Amino acid sequence: KEDGKKRARDGDGWGAWGGYMAAKVQKLEDQFRSDATKEQQKDGTSSTLFNGIAIYVNGYTDPSAAELRRLMMLHGGQYHLYYSRSKTTHIIATNLTNAKIKELKGEKVVHPSWIVESIKAGHLLSYIPYQLYTKTSGAQRGLNFNNVCKSEDPLVGLGNTAEGL
């Protein structure tokens, strides 16, 4: 009974669980390798600095994700559009939510400057000084406002002016 849904045929590559996603990821990896060769020829400089390194960029970064992708192309690394715990070696980010910090516990989450500084140095630097959150920090720290204002200080607000401060 067909019940109106198209069924996957055996041997077409889509029938196995995750077949679509696996095919998509493979296509993106092939595309990256092809683009890397073109980028290296265009730029004229390349290295194997990030050989064996595969990054995933999480959120806004400076340099941008597109620039980090280009840098990985030029210097022998891999760039993942989708995070894979088994394939991604480093997550690049400038800020993460508490939930994301817990989710990525034990992973190498580093600031994008690790990539830029490694290229400047001409060799792969240790990621440890560039870790976004260290194991000792736990969660994001809160701000302590207790020592900022004293109770006897005049408050600047709707009824007060800053004159005389």
Side-chain angles (χ1 to χ4, degrees):
K1 191 174 179 181
E2 279 297 314
D3 73 359
K5 293 183 181 177
K6 187 175 182 179
R7 295 182 186 265
R9 291 178 299 243
D10 290 339
D12 67 358
W14 300 95
W17 182 86
Y20 169 77
M21 199 62 189
K24 183 176 183 176
V25 168
Q26 183 61 52
K27 180 181 176 185
L28 289 169
E29 287 176 5
D30 294 344
Q31 192 175 35
F32 178 82
R33 280 192 290 278
S34 172
D35 290 349
T37 302
K38 292 174 191 169
E39 189 68 28
Q40 289 168 354
Q41 290 169 351
K42 184 178 97 178
D43 193 82
T45 60
S46 65
S47 75
T48 57
L49 182 68
F50 294 111
N51 190 29
I53 303 293
I55 67 166
Y56 166 76
V57 178
N58 187 295
Y60 171 81
T61 58
D62 184 23
S64 69
E67 178 62 11
L68 292 170
R69 180 179 188 268
R70 191 182 78 78
L71 291 173
M72 294 306 280
M73 283 180 185
L74 289 174
H75 298 282
Q78 290 185 342
Y79 178 91
H80 292 166
L81 229 52
Y82 298 98
Y83 172 68
S84 167
R85 194 172 286 274
S86 64
K87 293 182 179 181
T88 304
T89 61
H90 295 75
I91 298 159
I92 310 299
T94 53
N95 191 24
L96 294 174
T97 63
N98 282 338
K100 189 63 97 168
I101 293 168
K102 289 176 186 173
E103 179 186 331
L104 298 174
K105 187 178 181 182
E107 299 295 318
K108 297 174 186 168
V109 181
V110 297
H111 196 272
S113 59
W114 173 67
I115 293 173
V116 175
E117 296 298 321
S118 290
I119 293 168
K120 283 181 187 173
H123 61 91
L124 193 61
L125 298 173
S126 170
Y127 73 90
I128 293 171
Y130 298 91
Q131 283 181 307
L132 197 58
Y133 301 103
T134 60
K135 289 181 176 96
T136 58
S137 70
Q140 293 176 346
R141 294 187 179 133
L143 297 174
N144 181 3
F145 288 106
N146 294 337
N147 298 324
V148 176
C149 295
K150 297 177 186 151
S151 59
E152 63 272 5
D153 289 343
L155 296 175
V156 177
L158 294 175
N160 301 324
T161 63
E163 294 174 34
L165 288 180

